[in-house]
């Protein structure tokens, strides 16, 4: 069990490193910027759960997840002795373990949460807010929204 936990911990570190890569952050930034116009109707002062969800938002989310899974898993698979299948199996195992490795399990759940619809909407809402309030270029705001998500 401790060997499996150690492997899962290593996979979490590999995943974390992959998500933080400039290439992946740039891809996320470019994607979010390209989809920003779809989110013009998002209400800044209303909770996301209270807003009517647009079909275009969910379609953009599915594209985002597909893009990020492809990029992140490909980057993870570049690590020595790591395959995409192993990464998914280890993360699933880690999330399902008991008390052992609770901190790693919590960390893995956090990393995986960036692939959740509500997190995606929050990032897009923050990007809209930044692009409206600062008048700055949307791509600069996207970089802040994506990078700021994990901090």
């Amino acid at each position: 069990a401790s060997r499996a936990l150690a492997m899962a911990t290593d996979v979490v570190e590999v995943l974390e490193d992959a998500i933080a890569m400039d290439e992946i952050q740039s891809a996320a930034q470019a994607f979010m910027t390209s989809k920003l116009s779809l989110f013009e109707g998002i209400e800044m002062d209303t909770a996301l759960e209270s807003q009517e969800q647009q079909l275009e938002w969910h379609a953009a989310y599915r594209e985002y997840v597909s893009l990020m899974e492809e990029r992140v898993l490909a980057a993870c698979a570049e690590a020595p002795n790591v395959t995409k299948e192993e990464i998914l199996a280890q993360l699933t195992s880690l999330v399902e373990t008991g008390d052992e490795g609770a901190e790693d399990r919590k960390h893995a759940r956090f990393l995986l949460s960036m692939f959740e619809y509500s997190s995606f909407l929050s990032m897009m809402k923050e990007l809209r807010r930044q692009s409206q309030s600062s008048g700055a270029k949307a791509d600069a705001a996207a970089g802040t929204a994506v990078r700021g998500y994990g901090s």
Side-chain angles (χ1 to χ4, degrees):
S2 61
R3 179 169 163 16
L5 180 62
M7 284 180 63
T9 300
D10 292 343
V11 169
V12 170
E13 290 172 8
V14 168
L15 178 64
E16 186 176 51
D17 290 347
I19 290 171
M21 290 175 65
D22 286 341
E23 176 185 321
I24 290 174
Q25 291 290 318
S26 294
Q29 177 179 339
F31 177 84
M32 291 170 60
T33 301
S34 75
K35 300 297 180 182
L36 190 58
S37 64
L38 296 176
F39 293 83
E40 287 180 2
I42 201 165
E43 296 176 30
M44 296 301 172
D45 300 322
T46 306
L48 290 168
E49 301 80 34
S50 304
Q51 295 187 43
E52 182 175 338
Q53 303 296 307
Q54 305 296 318
L55 291 176
E56 294 85 10
W57 297 357
H58 199 266
Y61 160 72
R62 287 193 316 267
E63 285 181 57
Y64 170 78
V65 168
S66 179
L67 170 77
M68 294 304 288
E69 279 181 351
E70 178 184 314
R71 297 279 178 120
V72 169
L73 290 176
C76 288
E78 289 177 10
N81 304 318
V82 178
T83 65
K84 293 178 185 180
E85 295 76 19
E86 182 180 320
I87 293 164
L88 294 174
Q90 291 296 328
L91 287 173
T92 300
S93 172
L94 182 60
V95 171
E96 293 172 352
T97 59
D99 292 335
E100 189 178 6
E103 193 60 35
D104 287 327
R105 188 172 62 252
K106 190 167 100 176
H107 193 75
R109 281 191 184 133
F110 172 75
L111 290 173
L112 293 173
S113 74
M114 74 177 292
F115 294 104
E116 293 175 358
Y117 183 60
S118 60
S119 297
F120 173 75
L121 286 182
S122 294
M123 288 189 294
M124 293 306 294
K125 185 174 180 179
E126 180 60 24
L127 178 57
R128 290 280 311 148
R129 178 178 285 115
Q130 290 174 6
S131 66
Q132 286 178 345
S133 66
S134 68
K137 288 184 175 180
D139 58 344
T144 305
V146 173
R147 291 185 191 278
Y149 180 76
S151 22

